[in-house]
Amino acid sequence: MKRQDETSPSLSSDDKKPRLDMPENQENFASVGDQANSVTQTGISDAQGHPVQEVESMCMRCHKNGCTRMLLTKIPFFREIIVMSFACPHCGFRNSEIQAAAQIAEKGSRYNFKIESKEDFSRQVVKSETATCTFSEIELEIPPERGQLTNIEGLLTEMIANLEMDQEARKEAQPEVYEKINEFIAKVKALLAGENLPLTFYVDDPAGNSWVEYQPGQAAHKWSMYEYNRTAEQNVFLGLISADDVAQQRLAELKQKKDATDQNVSSSLNNTESHQPTASGFATESEIENFENEVQTFHATCSACAAPCETHMKTVNIPHFKDVIIMSTVCDKCGYKSNEVKTGGAIPEKGKRITLKITDPEDLARDILKSETCGLRIPELNLDLTPGTLGGRFTTIEGLLTQVYEELHSRVFTQTSDSMDEETKQRWTSFFAKLQDANEGKIGFTINMEDPLASSYIQNVYAPDNDPNMLIEDFERTHDQNEELGLNDMKAD
């Protein structure tokens, strides 16, 4: 239950009645200056000389007037805060809390602190009303509630007191829950006594107004602080934006993704292949002028049955990347099909690593170019494609997952499932089910591509702006990678 705003003085019964002798130009409400003048200075101050002020306010328990004391002070290495303490002389109700005197920070903050001895429990903590405290080893989380200026021991002691408050009632109604809570309380008390340490303590505050005491000269691993960009949900929680604004922003992003993937290279390639004329053998002068828009056809030999067949080749420009050559071979006699992608240009000095988080089904329609030298890994699916697997592929993410499913299911699982034991067969079945869910957009996953020749690519639907879900890094090739690619013996002179 919340009490009346503690910064404003209470109104007596006489004040609530209209005053008949009030002049016409008199304001109906007291000004901020008049209210400030009514604040009483106690003569008490903190170590930095900030005065403690008193203001009369109503107790929400007995509805009589009590006293709120306020101190505007500053925490070293942190910022200004307001410490408030309320006491009611009539019913004995007491309450204390803190509020941040500064504005909401531009970024959220996360503090990590390693508790390695009993003395570490005395570290001061500023916990704002938006902060979440976590003790990872004992799986304890203290959700956002009123602001507090306390220490780590105080947080745990208050939590124990709250749990013990209803233990007698639980003992009769839920004896199993009563026993488990007793065990948990005993575990926490043992930690407070300095047993079973170390313990990791986290404070996560999206408003950036919380703090864990820092002591100069301490070991680097004991205390750390990180800042992060708030998510849309956290901004809604803080009241910075409305849920409707977030919904409209997501609809706009979804439309942008859909428009980008509808106009990607793979979809336009399917249309041009069905409408563009093909050239066999040598092209005329007019055809040479439009060579980039042509699908070239060459006579070849099928690698499966050695019968004559045709190989189709087309040059495609991938926006914000480079030109690639797509080659496709089809044998009408035995039905053999193959396709691959070749990239041209000079060998770059560094390799490239691409990481993309798939968070929306629309992401599955992104173009992806996986060269022969590229390794691909999806940790959530336990999928690891070594360089050379599937050859060079230019398709969509959905198409690549479909090819992986078909190749593994038809060539590995179907042909060897009869000789598999039940446990192995069950693992394969679970793998294919998870792969199918990912391909249908039911679960999110992360694609990690590493290409020492920097010849692989994933479409950026936000181009030319950066994609917030994609990270592109350059890396130095190792000696072994250069050896496998034949670069160590290559001489440019």
Side-chain angles (χ1 to χ4, degrees):
M1 182 178 296
K2 296 183 179 179
R3 63 178 183 274
Q4 177 184 334
D5 183 5
E6 298 164 335
T7 61
S8 60
S10 63
L11 296 175
S12 64
S13 59
D14 294 334
D15 292 331
K16 296 179 182 178
K17 298 178 181 179
R19 298 181 179 179
L20 299 178
D21 58 347
M22 180 182 296
E24 292 183 1
N25 60 352
Q26 180 71 26
E27 296 290 341
N28 291 333
F29 297 95
S31 66
V32 175
D34 293 338
Q35 294 185 22
N37 291 332
S38 66
V39 176
T40 303
Q41 300 290 342
T42 63
I44 305 173
S45 60
D46 65 357
Q48 300 173 355
H50 301 120
V52 177
Q53 300 173 340
E54 290 184 353
V55 61
E56 192 177 11
S57 54
M58 187 177 69
C59 174
M60 297 306 296
R61 175 174 292 181
C62 66
H63 304 291
K64 295 181 180 180
N65 288 341
C67 178
T68 297
R69 293 187 174 185
M70 296 181 295
L71 171 65
L72 176 59
T73 185
K74 182 177 181 180
I75 297 177
F77 308 105
F78 187 50
R79 64 184 63 180
E80 296 83 2
I81 64 169
I82 302 174
V83 183
M84 296 184 294
S85 175
F86 174 80
C88 178
H90 305 284
C91 65
F93 175 71
R94 292 178 177 272
N95 186 26
S96 62
E97 61 180 294
I98 68 163
Q99 290 184 3
Q103 62 184 358
I104 294 177
E106 294 183 1
K107 296 183 178 181
S109 61
R110 178 182 174 89
Y111 291 86
N112 301 346
F113 181 67
K114 202 76 170 179
I115 304 172
E116 298 177 319
S117 64
K118 185 178 179 180
E119 290 72 22
D120 289 337
F121 285 104
S122 62
R123 287 293 179 100
Q124 282 190 332
V125 176
V126 175
K127 178 182 176 295
S128 76
E129 65 274 10
T130 58
T132 301
C133 296
T134 306
F135 297 87
S136 57
E137 285 80 0
I138 57 176
E139 299 181 355
L140 171 63
E141 181 177 293
I142 302 176
E145 47 185 11
R146 62 185 177 87
Q148 291 177 281
L149 173 58
T150 179
N151 55 23
I152 301 175
E153 181 181 3
L155 288 173
L156 292 175
T157 302
E158 183 180 14
M159 181 273 302
I160 292 175
N162 291 336
L163 289 177
E164 289 179 338
M165 187 179 301
D166 299 325
Q167 275 295 81
E168 291 300 325
R170 292 193 192 98
K171 187 175 182 180
E172 299 295 334
Q174 299 174 304
E176 295 182 358
V177 177
Y178 168 81
E179 292 296 334
K180 290 182 178 179
I181 291 179
N182 266 354
E183 292 177 4
F184 180 76
I185 291 175
K187 183 187 296 185
V188 175
K189 288 183 176 179
L191 288 169
L192 290 173
E195 302 176 9
N196 303 323
L197 296 177
L199 180 66
T200 308
F201 173 60
Y202 301 97
V203 178
D204 193 337
D205 186 2
N209 288 328
S210 294
W211 174 78
V212 176
E213 180 186 2
Y214 171 78
Q215 293 183 356
Q218 65 185 3
H221 71 278
K222 286 185 69 68
W223 186 97
S224 59
M225 181 264 191
Y226 306 93
E227 290 187 337
Y228 60 87
N229 294 320
R230 284 186 291 268
T231 63
E233 290 76 11
Q234 288 173 329
N235 283 327
V236 172
F237 171 69
L238 296 175
L240 301 178
I241 58 176
S242 67
D244 293 337
D245 293 337
V246 175
Q248 293 176 2
Q249 182 180 357
R250 288 185 174 175
L251 287 176
E253 290 181 356
L254 184 62
K255 185 178 183 301
Q256 182 181 359
K257 282 185 178 181
K258 183 172 178 58
D259 293 342
T261 51
D262 286 344
Q263 300 173 4
N264 60 15
V265 178
S266 57
S267 60
S268 61
L269 183 61
N270 293 332
N271 295 331
T272 56
E273 285 182 351
S274 59
H275 293 92
Q276 294 292 340
T278 60
S280 177
F282 294 98
T284 63
E285 293 181 0
S286 60
E287 289 173 339
I288 291 176
E289 294 177 358
N290 297 320
F291 181 77
E292 292 184 355
N293 296 323
E294 299 285 353
V295 177
Q296 305 295 319
T297 303
F298 303 93
H299 296 293
T301 301
C302 176
S303 59
C305 65
C309 62
E310 293 182 339
T311 294
H312 305 282
M313 183 186 74
K314 178 176 174 59
T315 302
V316 177
N317 175 262
I318 300 179
H320 308 286
F321 188 55
K322 62 174 73 174
D323 288 339
V324 298
I325 300 174
I326 300 178
M327 304 179 68
S328 174
T329 302
V330 179
C331 179
D332 296 331
K333 183 176 180 180
C334 67
Y336 172 77
K337 296 181 180 180
S338 70
N339 58 78
E340 58 182 327
V341 179
K342 301 291 186 181
T343 57
I347 296 176
E349 295 182 358
K350 296 181 179 180
K352 184 170 292 186
R353 187 180 294 110
I354 305 174
T355 302
L356 173 66
K357 292 183 179 179
I358 304 296
T359 58
D360 192 285
E362 290 292 335
D363 291 329
L364 297 173
R366 295 192 190 211
D367 280 335
I368 183 171
L369 170 61
K370 176 192 171 300
S371 72
E372 293 181 343
T373 58
C374 177
L376 184 144
R377 188 168 60 90
I378 303 179
E380 294 84 353
L381 306 181
N382 295 323
L383 176 63
D384 193 348
L385 300 181
T386 58
T389 307
L390 297 179
R393 286 288 186 271
F394 180 63
T395 177
T396 61
I397 295 176
E398 181 182 5
L400 183 64
L401 294 180
T402 300
Q403 292 177 2
V404 172
Y405 182 93
E406 292 175 352
E407 290 285 335
L408 291 177
H409 195 274
S410 61
R411 298 191 179 187
V412 178
F413 181 74
T414 303
Q415 297 182 9
T416 61
S417 59
D418 293 339
S419 59
M420 291 182 184
D421 57 78
E422 270 315 305
E423 183 179 355
T424 304
K425 186 180 294 186
Q426 182 62 34
R427 286 203 302 268
W428 273 106
T429 304
S430 176
F431 168 77
F432 286 126
K434 189 177 292 186
L435 183 61
Q436 193 68 24
D437 288 342
N439 203 15
E440 294 174 359
K442 296 180 180 179
I443 60 175
F445 56 93
T446 305
I447 295 179
N448 296 319
M449 298 175 63
E450 185 172 307
D451 191 346
L453 291 183
S455 299
S456 297
Y457 156 89
I458 298 180
Q459 181 189 8
N460 177 8
V461 295
Y462 297 92
D465 297 330
N466 292 329
D467 191 329
N469 292 327
M470 185 160 60
L471 176 64
I472 301 178
E473 302 172 291
D474 293 331
F475 66 91
E476 297 285 347
R477 286 187 293 267
T478 64
H479 181 274
D480 292 339
Q481 288 175 329
N482 286 329
E483 187 68 27
E484 291 177 1
L485 297 172
L487 301 180
N488 290 334
D489 299 329
M490 186 177 295
K491 297 182 180 180
D493 297 337

